[in-house]
Amino acid sequence: MRKVILTTAGTLGDLHPFIAIALALRDRGITPVLAVPKDHVQKCVRAGLEAVGVLTSFDEICAQMGLSPEEAVRRIMSNQRVMLERVLLPGLSECTMALEAMAADAEAIVASIFVFAAPIVAEKHRLPLVSVILQPMAMLSPWDPPRTPDFWMMVGAPVTAISAAWNRVVFGALRRLVNRLYGRRIDRVRVEHGLPPAGAANLLDPPPTALLRLGCYSLQLGALPADATQTTRIVGFPMFDQGSSSRGALHPAIVAFLEAGPAPLIFTLGTFAVEGARSFYNKASDVARALNMRAILLVGGTAEPSIDGDILRAGYAQHSLIFPHAAVIIQHGGVGTTGQALRAGKPQLVVPHMGDQYDHAYRVMRMGAGLRLKARHFTVRRATKLIARLLNQGFYRETAERVAVTMAEEKGADAAADTILIALDALAASRR
């Protein structure tokens, strides 16, 4: 039995790629075991996979913060340090112990760069580590720097040798700041496990000893950086968005709505930003009416579909099934949602709320597949104007369709699984 641990933190946008890769590994004779937040275990089990809860659930995080889910989401979205200090770091010691308990008979660990316990356990047990990077900006390349408010000081495209050198200096300063803020917390856990202190300067970088760095997104969204290591591969989006290992189907009410008229606008804020939606969906309804268009609002939760005139509201619908029916997709810029929207070949209005969402919005706009509008600027007048532009200028539709045709050739989960197994087999052969 070849057992591989796959571990990730975050929302469904972070979980789904790992489920997809785990299923592809299983098809190749591997026994995948997922190590995930406690509230994601059942999702993995419904997909037919073994899973263990090693990270704090979101409800537990909210309780620790003393906030409601809506308040916690808004707090996290307003300050990225809150994500590190209140979500990712507090349970590090417990997560490391739980992950170590799973590692005894494992062949390798495939880990999100945001599971800080994974490099510790891999180093302690001398296990090959595959670092999974879901967002192009997380490559932290001076040649393709993040385009987010937190990285306002970086020089964007076109990047010259001089501006790349400046970006390198900025990254260095940020790493030193991270080390000063969090180095001791990381080192306490390392020492608990008999490892020497190493600080946190490279907290968000894959370790230099990682067997692979897998960019699990499309080359259409981000090319291989000029300074990428020889062990870096970009494999495409590993797609999964159903409730089980079967493909699933849209709710009959949604199917009937789609069949009853022209292509609607589809509005979604994913599974995290939706908790802080505030007036977003009320404005979305007003935008659809201003454009005299039908709309589907995916408002989160498990609510059954309901229809008010030309507006259908539903808790959730599989993006892979519903997005191809859209006229325009209006979404928050989460990497999973962005990947599904690109794959559907529809123009997008990206409304980023936090972090990497700004970077994805920039990249969608840069490739010509859509436009962007910051969440705080999302008004009926502005959104109506931009969506009308996406509808009336064929360039956006044609570009989105061209991108989708190219992405149809990408098999992210299969490519990731094959790349992992080739690397593991090569490593095993070199040790004989």
Side-chain angles (χ1 to χ4, degrees):
M1 180 188 74
R2 301 179 68 182
K3 171 183 167 182
V4 172
I5 297 170
L6 300 98
T7 182
T8 185
T11 67
L12 294 184
D14 302 278
L15 177 68
H16 284 165
F18 279 81
I19 291 179
I21 295 169
L23 291 170
L25 285 171
R26 190 184 66 181
D27 290 345
R28 288 155 176 79
I30 301 299
T31 300
V33 182
L34 285 151
V36 296
K38 296 172 186 175
D39 43 357
H40 288 167
V41 169
Q42 287 306 309
K43 176 89 173 182
C44 300
V45 171
R46 288 195 298 271
L49 296 165
E50 182 181 348
V52 178
V54 302
L55 290 151
T56 309
S57 71
F58 185 62
D59 285 344
E60 290 172 321
I61 291 168
C62 293
Q64 291 165 6
M65 295 175 70
L67 300 173
S68 69
E70 294 82 4
E71 292 168 334
V73 166
R74 289 169 190 158
R75 179 86 179 275
I76 292 167
M77 288 195 301
S78 69
N79 186 340
Q80 293 300 285
R81 282 185 59 178
V82 175
M83 178 69 79
L84 271 173
E85 295 171 0
R86 304 302 297 271
V87 178
L88 297 176
L89 282 171
L92 177 59
S93 180
E94 293 78 6
C95 178
T96 305
M97 288 188 289
L99 198 57
E100 183 176 18
M102 303 170 61
D105 56 345
E107 182 176 348
I109 299 176
V110 178
S112 162
I113 56 173
F114 299 109
V115 180
F116 304 138
I120 296 173
V121 174
E123 182 180 348
K124 180 177 180 178
H125 292 273
R126 299 182 180 179
L127 287 172
L129 177 68
V130 176
S131 289
V132 173
I133 300 170
L134 298 179
Q135 305 92 345
M137 66 170 270
M139 287 287 181
L140 298 181
S141 170
W143 292 97
D144 189 14
R147 300 301 295 268
T148 77
D150 291 325
F151 291 87
W152 60 269
M153 72 296 288
M154 309 292 274
V155 179
V159 180
T160 64
I162 293 174
S163 54
W166 167 255
N167 290 342
R168 208 171 285 115
V169 168
V170 174
F171 275 136
L174 291 172
R175 288 185 175 101
R176 289 191 293 275
L177 176 61
V178 167
N179 186 54
R180 191 159 60 246
L181 291 171
Y182 310 116
R184 290 182 180 178
R185 297 175 71 169
I186 299 293
D187 283 341
R188 277 197 296 270
V189 178
R190 288 182 58 84
V191 170
E192 286 174 5
H193 289 269
L195 298 175
N202 298 103
L203 185 66
L204 299 177
D205 296 280
T209 55
L211 179 66
L212 284 172
R213 300 180 179 203
L214 282 188
C216 288
Y217 50 83
S218 174
L219 286 166
Q220 300 298 305
L221 192 64
L224 187 70
D227 58 334
T229 67
Q230 291 184 342
T231 58
T232 303
R233 307 284 188 275
I234 296 177
V235 296
F237 286 108
M239 293 294 193
F240 178 94
D241 70 335
Q242 57 264 38
S244 67
S245 56
S246 60
R247 181 164 169 77
L250 291 173
H251 191 286
I254 296 177
V255 174
F257 182 84
L258 291 170
E259 292 175 347
L265 304 174
I266 296 180
F267 294 81
T268 179
L269 292 179
T271 56
F272 185 75
V274 70
E275 294 285 357
R278 295 187 175 177
S279 61
F280 177 84
Y281 288 107
N282 290 334
K283 293 176 183 176
S285 298
D286 291 340
V287 168
R289 294 186 182 102
L291 289 165
N292 196 29
M293 291 189 69
R294 300 175 347 125
I296 295 177
L297 315 182
L298 302 180
V299 299
T302 58
E304 290 288 300
S306 62
I307 298 175
D308 179 11
D310 284 337
I311 309 294
L312 181 146
R313 298 173 71 95
Y316 175 76
Q318 289 179 223
H319 293 353
S320 60
L321 300 181
I322 197 169
F323 279 0
H325 298 281
V328 173
I329 299 165
I330 301 90
Q331 54 101 1
H332 62 300
V335 70
T337 306
T338 299
Q340 292 283 8
L342 289 172
R343 193 182 188 192
K346 302 298 180 179
Q348 305 174 49
L349 176 61
V350 187
V351 186
H353 286 62
M354 63 179 288
D356 60 346
Q357 297 170 10
Y358 290 96
D359 189 69
H360 300 143
Y362 166 77
R363 291 170 186 274
V364 168
M365 186 181 71
R366 182 175 66 183
M367 73 175 68
L371 297 169
R372 60 179 174 176
L373 179 62
K374 294 178 180 178
R376 67 176 182 270
H377 296 157
F378 187 82
T379 64
V380 174
R381 181 182 65 81
R382 287 174 174 145
T384 299
K385 180 179 179 180
L386 292 177
I387 294 170
R389 184 173 159 193
L390 292 170
L391 289 166
N392 297 327
Q393 296 185 14
F395 164 78
Y396 295 105
R397 183 186 67 256
E398 293 162 6
T399 303
E401 290 172 350
R402 185 169 63 251
V403 168
V405 168
T406 302
M407 284 183 61
E409 302 299 318
E410 299 175 355
K411 308 296 181 185
D414 290 330
D418 288 339
T419 302
I420 291 167
L421 292 182
I422 289 169
L424 288 176
D425 290 344
L427 179 63
S430 71
R431 290 175 171 174
R432 292 190 190 114

